[in-house]
Amino acid sequence: MRKLIIGMVGFAALGALVWAFWPQPQQVDLDIVTRGPMQGTIEAQGVTRVRAPYTITAPITGNVTRSPVEVGDHVVADESLVAIMLPADPTLMDARSRAQAEAAVAEAQAAVALAESNLRQAESGLAHAATQLERGRALAARGTIAQRMLEDIEAAYETAVQAQASAQSQLELNHATLERAQAQLMGPQSALGDAILPGECCLRILAPQTGIVLSVTDQSARLVQAGTPLLTIGNLEEMEIVLDLLSTDAVQVPPYADAVIERWGGTGTLEARLRRIEPAAFTRVSALGIEEQRVRARLDLLSPPEMRAGLGEGFRVHVRLTLWQEEDLLRVPQAALFRDGDEWAVFVEDAGKARQATVTLGRFSDGQAEVLDGLAEGTRVILYPSSDLSDGIAVTQRAP
């Protein structure tokens, strides 16, 4: 009995020693190769823009009054007053220019006086010619003077009439010359005077489009040159999104690609569609100081305005552009893949053993890779294979 007990104890100790040093299966995470949809996307930051804004500029050089509208005001096309412009004030003259202008006024005044004298002389001659004509006609009626003499009197009267009309026209011409010379002496604030209110002698600019005032260059009254921007009007119901894509990403985007707008500040997501990718790229320096070639892409918002309430001009949004989409592809998690030389490989769990398999892959998307060859649907693959995992080693699934 003693020998039996000692033998049993020794056998148990030997078994415990063997069990202690026997290699245990390595715990791993497993996943299954499945078939399902896959989608290739590009994510980028975008900025909202009003698709067709109207920038109103000054049509003439003049003084614009304080803006009657503010940013955010609603305006109606051809009804809402958005700007008022007054003629520009005359500029100040130097001493020489002013002396010449004053001399021109004096010259014009003298010419007016001379024209008035000539007019009085012509009026006197016309009155005398009229008296002579009346007397001549009376004498000719009685046969006292010849008909030829009456014709000479009538001709003299017509000459006097034309002389009076010429003198009158010359006086009016000289008056206009005097007014032009006096206008040269006008200084600032002399053109309109203090009694003229804004709007009585001004250019009133109406809104060319129904929408919202997006920006006002300056609220204050000021002198502006022709072509100076005054304000911008846009319709927030017609919005687009502008993206600056890397040129290497832009060539992958198909025409009229669908897009999803996320993290725009509101609830849910918005739908958009690519309208155009500009053909010319530009250089932009990244935050790391790297020069990048960027291409501008424009997307139309398809979601109705009531679904994007509060979204305005210049808001930043997150855009996910769809490059391709398939509904039934054989896919394997990217976490199971590793490089074996120039090829992709995975560890497959086969009857509790790890078996390395070479796979041929297609496209990658959202943590999944398309399997072209090497794996079948339903195969269990090992995720995140460690460096000590080898072909034929025992494995067991790690408890969740």
Side-chain angles (χ1 to χ4, degrees):
M1 183 62 69
R2 182 184 301 173
K3 290 180 180 181
L4 180 60
I5 294 174
I6 293 175
M8 293 178 62
V9 171
F11 182 78
L14 180 62
L17 186 62
V18 172
W19 181 84
F21 287 96
W22 191 268
Q24 298 295 320
Q26 184 174 344
Q27 293 187 347
V28 295
D29 295 317
L30 299 177
D31 204 343
I32 300 176
V33 178
T34 60
R35 301 192 70 91
M38 288 185 64
Q39 183 183 70
T41 61
I42 291 179
E43 297 185 0
Q45 296 288 338
V47 178
T48 60
R49 290 283 184 265
V50 172
R51 182 169 180 179
Y54 278 79
T55 298
I56 299 175
T57 60
I60 61 172
T61 298
N63 295 309
V64 60
T65 64
R66 185 170 181 83
S67 177
V69 294
E70 297 180 355
V71 175
D73 287 353
H74 181 78
V75 293
V76 180
D78 301 326
E79 294 183 9
S80 301
L81 180 66
V82 295
I84 301 175
M85 292 198 65
L86 304 174
D89 293 332
T91 58
L92 293 173
M93 296 183 293
D94 55 24
R96 174 183 295 179
S97 299
R98 187 167 187 81
Q100 292 175 347
E102 291 175 349
V105 171
E107 180 182 1
Q109 290 174 343
V112 168
L114 177 60
E116 289 176 346
S117 177
N118 292 336
L119 177 61
R120 288 193 295 269
Q121 182 179 356
E123 289 175 346
S124 298
L126 178 60
H128 177 70
T131 303
Q132 291 294 328
L133 178 61
E134 183 180 358
R135 184 181 298 115
R137 286 175 176 174
L139 293 175
R142 294 195 298 268
T144 305
I145 61 175
Q147 183 66 27
R148 181 177 179 180
M149 184 176 295
L150 177 61
E151 292 175 354
D152 291 340
I153 294 174
E154 291 177 344
Y157 175 78
E158 291 295 332
T159 302
V161 170
Q162 296 301 323
Q164 190 269 346
S166 176
Q168 180 67 37
S169 299
Q170 185 64 41
L171 177 61
E172 295 175 355
L173 175 62
N174 290 344
H175 272 298
T177 303
L178 176 60
E179 292 178 358
R180 184 177 68 248
Q182 290 174 339
Q184 297 295 326
L185 292 175
M186 289 183 179
Q189 304 301 329
S190 298
L192 299 178
D194 298 334
I196 297 180
L197 298 176
E200 295 183 355
C201 182
C202 62
L203 177 63
R204 302 168 64 86
I205 302 176
L206 302 180
Q209 180 194 30
T210 299
I212 302 295
V213 178
L214 301 178
S215 65
V216 177
T217 304
D218 196 337
Q219 289 284 132
S220 303
R222 65 197 188 281
L223 176 66
V224 296
Q225 299 293 325
T228 301
L230 302 179
L231 70 156
T232 303
I233 298 174
N235 187 356
L236 295 183
E237 295 184 359
E238 300 177 358
M239 298 283 290
E240 68 176 6
I241 298 175
V242 179
L243 301 177
D244 291 339
L245 301 175
L246 289 172
S247 58
T248 52
D249 291 338
V251 296
Q252 304 177 40
V253 181
Y256 309 107
D258 292 330
V260 176
I261 311 303
E262 303 171 329
R263 302 202 299 270
W264 58 277
T267 57
T269 59
L270 305 178
E271 296 181 1
R273 179 175 295 126
L274 177 68
R275 183 175 83 251
R276 175 180 302 170
I277 294 181
E278 296 182 356
F282 56 92
T283 302
R284 172 171 293 178
V285 179
S286 67
L288 299 178
I290 301 174
E291 289 189 354
E292 300 173 339
Q293 290 303 113
R294 294 274 179 171
V295 181
R296 188 152 293 159
R298 299 182 181 275
L299 291 78
D300 292 329
L301 269 173
L302 303 181
S303 298
E306 55 269 17
M307 293 184 60
R308 47 184 168 90
L311 191 63
E313 166 79 4
F315 286 30
R316 185 168 296 278
V317 295
H318 184 82
V319 181
R320 185 155 48 88
L321 268 171
T322 302
L323 302 181
W324 54 268
Q325 185 170 355
E326 298 290 344
E327 297 300 329
D328 187 21
L329 292 179
L330 188 62
R331 55 191 186 177
V332 62
Q334 294 184 29
L337 301 172
F338 63 92
R339 297 294 291 184
D340 183 18
D342 295 334
E343 298 177 329
W344 287 104
V346 297
F347 277 110
V348 176
E349 188 271 334
D350 184 13
K353 302 289 184 178
R355 180 176 58 83
Q356 183 173 333
T358 301
V359 294
T360 303
L361 303 178
R363 293 170 288 192
F364 292 77
S365 175
D366 294 335
Q368 300 283 334
E370 178 187 5
V371 178
L372 301 180
D373 189 23
L375 291 175
E377 182 179 2
T379 304
R380 292 159 60 91
V381 293
I382 298 175
L383 303 180
Y384 314 107
S386 61
S387 58
D388 56 350
L389 189 64
S390 60
D391 197 4
I393 194 173
V395 294
T396 183
Q397 186 169 6
R398 181 181 289 111

